[in-house]
């Protein structure tokens, strides 16, 4: 009986000592190390690690869709002073989410320690006409990351993702040429092409942020040699150098680099790195010619060139 009364008293003290939603502790009773918080979702019944809190992001990966945003976030999450949001929040580009307010947005972020920066990525921000102004309204000094790849390859990758998504959902699909060409001419209104007009979208961002606050990551280089690109990102975010060559290894089966961190190895989801369909050479040439002038405009905007088609 004495043991039962002691146990009841213990439960009562725990209940009054903390709000009901924070009664349980982390699985196993251990507190995660600072580098382990990034992609953990803390449910309402779990105690956040002591000394942690949620913050609006210090940096946002704004795009571009199919440019390598997931790879960039996963690789950046190796850094012990980075806490990465687990999902794409779509706060600044979706009106229904933006209407929920900044407090709702902050709650979508991971718990982080005082020495960590929070990073969110939503690729749709780059092509959104309203996202730049909304982000500036939250934090005019925020540091933005933009990862880009060859815009022609990006169009084909965009089509490939939609193609497989439709197959998985038992929806009809069309050949890529039928999407790229309409009435005998290049279909420049095709959304995949519109997303590859980097100059158009960049002008919108430069109306709200100086170029110095937007770091452009070469997505094509990141795939083939990730370390130099990650080191540039570390410097841009004022992070101490912690990402090293041993954090990456080339997976021969998948055909791209995977991550090695804290004794664990992981690769991107199987949906990443899918083979692209062959494209009719005449149609491909039309696409390249159309994008070429936009690429030149983009180079002038940022004062830098890339080895794009």
């Amino acid at each position: 009986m004495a043991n039962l009364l002691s146990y009841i008293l213990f439960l009562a003290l725990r209940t009054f000592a903390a709000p009901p939603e924070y009664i349980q502790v982390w699985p196993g009773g251990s507190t995660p190390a600072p580098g382990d918080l990034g992609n953990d979702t803390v449910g309402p019944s779990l105690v956040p690690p002591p000394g942690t809190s949620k913050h609006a992001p210090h940096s946002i990966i704004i795009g571009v869709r199919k440019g390598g945003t997931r790879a960039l976030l996963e690789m950046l999450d190796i850094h012990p002073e980075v806490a990465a949001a687990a999902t794409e929040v779509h706060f600044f580009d979706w009106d229904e989410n933006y209407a929920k307010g900044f407090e709702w947005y902050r709650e979508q972020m991971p718990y982080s320690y005082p020495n960590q920066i929070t990073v969110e990525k939503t690729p749709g921000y780059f092509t959104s006409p309203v996202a730049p102004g909304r982000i500036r309204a939250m934090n005019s000094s925020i540091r933005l990351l933009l990862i880009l790849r060859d815009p022609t390859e990006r169009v084909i990758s965009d089509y490939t993702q939609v193609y497989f998504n439709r197959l998985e959902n038992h929806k009809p699909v069309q050949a890529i040429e039928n999407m790229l060409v309409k009435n005998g001419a290049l279909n420049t209104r095709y959304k995949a092409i519109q997303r590859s007009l980097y100059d158009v979208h960049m002008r919108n961002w430069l109306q709200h942020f100086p170029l110095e606050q937007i770091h452009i990551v070469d997505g094509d280089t990141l795939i083939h040699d990730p370390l130099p690109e990650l080191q540039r990102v570390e410097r841009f975010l004022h992070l101490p150098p912690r990402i090293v060559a041993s954090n990456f290894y080339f997976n021969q089966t998948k055909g791209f680099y995977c991550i090695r961190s804290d004794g664990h190895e992981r690769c991107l989801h199987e949906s990443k790195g899918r083979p692209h369909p062959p494209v009719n050479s005449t149609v491909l040439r039309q696409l390249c010619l159309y994008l070429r002038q936009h690429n030149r405009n983009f180079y002038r905007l940022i004062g830098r060139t890339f080895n794009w088609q």
Side-chain angles (χ1 to χ4, degrees):
M1 176 65 74
N3 288 339
L4 177 61
L5 289 174
S6 298
Y7 181 68
I8 293 172
L9 179 59
F10 170 71
L11 290 179
L13 287 172
R14 281 186 67 182
T15 302
F16 284 105
E21 64 270 26
Y22 292 135
I23 294 301
Q24 295 182 352
V25 296
W26 286 79
S30 62
T31 299
D36 295 336
L37 280 176
N39 287 320
D40 286 328
T41 300
V42 180
S45 62
L46 296 179
V47 177
T52 66
S53 57
K54 292 187 176 186
H55 301 275
H58 303 80
S59 178
I60 300 177
I61 300 174
I62 58 174
V64 62
R65 170 179 159 130
K66 306 310 297 176
T69 57
R70 173 53 60 183
L72 176 59
L73 185 70
E74 292 282 348
M75 291 176 178
L76 189 56
D77 198 30
I78 296 169
H79 201 292
E81 294 184 20
V82 169
T87 59
E88 296 175 7
V89 184
H90 285 283
F91 179 65
F92 298 104
D93 59 336
W94 290 2
D95 292 343
E96 60 269 31
N97 284 346
Y98 192 68
K100 296 174 183 177
F102 286 110
E103 183 60 26
W104 177 88
Y105 180 56
R106 188 179 66 84
E107 283 301 312
Q108 310 313 304
M109 297 300 114
Y111 284 95
S112 61
Y113 288 99
N115 69 318
Q116 290 182 307
I117 65 168
T118 299
V119 179
E120 187 240 318
K121 78 104 176 169
T122 299
Y125 291 161
F126 182 57
T127 56
S128 166
V130 297
R134 288 173 172 179
I135 293 176
R136 181 177 174 80
M138 177 189 71
N139 181 359
S140 62
S141 61
I142 194 167
R143 303 185 82 76
L144 304 170
L145 294 170
L146 173 62
I147 180 167
L148 301 174
R149 65 190 294 196
D150 185 310
T152 300
E153 287 294 316
R154 200 219 62 81
V155 169
I156 301 171
S157 182
D158 200 324
Y159 163 84
T160 303
Q161 175 174 289
V162 174
Y163 175 87
F164 279 101
N165 286 346
R166 292 184 68 86
L167 280 183
E168 290 167 4
N169 290 290
H170 309 290
K171 293 181 179 180
V173 295
Q174 295 189 56
I176 187 170
E177 289 83 1
N178 293 340
M179 304 299 293
L180 291 172
V181 177
K182 187 175 183 180
N183 299 324
L186 190 69
N187 181 15
T188 58
R189 297 181 65 83
Y190 177 34
K191 285 184 179 180
I193 294 178
Q194 288 287 313
R195 295 187 187 106
S196 279
L197 305 182
Y198 299 158
D199 60 324
V200 173
H201 307 300
M202 193 65 176
R203 283 194 193 96
N204 188 27
W205 283 90
L206 292 177
Q207 289 178 4
H208 300 274
F209 293 96
L211 185 59
E212 293 73 25
Q213 279 178 238
I214 306 174
H215 178 72
I216 299 173
V217 178
D218 187 333
D220 297 306
T221 301
L222 186 75
I223 294 171
H224 300 107
D225 189 14
L227 183 59
E229 288 297 323
L230 269 296
Q231 290 173 329
R232 293 184 189 100
V233 172
E234 283 180 321
R235 291 193 291 270
F236 175 72
L237 296 178
H238 304 304
L239 291 168
R242 295 289 182 271
I243 301 174
V244 295
S246 59
N247 288 133
F248 308 102
Y249 69 97
F250 190 79
N251 186 304
Q252 295 287 349
T253 303
K254 292 181 175 292
F256 52 77
Y257 279 89
C258 295
I259 298 167
R260 184 186 290 116
S261 178
D262 299 323
H264 301 288
E265 295 181 353
R266 67 182 189 274
C267 291
L268 296 178
H269 189 266
E270 60 183 13
S271 64
K272 306 299 180 181
R274 284 170 169 159
H276 290 174
V279 185
N280 176 277
S281 59
T282 302
V283 174
L284 186 60
R285 194 178 307 111
Q286 283 183 280
L287 178 61
C288 291
L289 287 173
Y290 175 72
L291 292 173
R292 190 165 296 162
Q293 187 56 53
H294 286 281
N295 295 345
R296 290 170 180 157
N297 295 341
F298 180 70
Y299 299 158
R300 283 193 290 269
L301 280 174
I302 65 169
R304 177 182 172 186
T305 61
F306 293 86
N307 294 320
W308 294 337
Q309 297 183 49

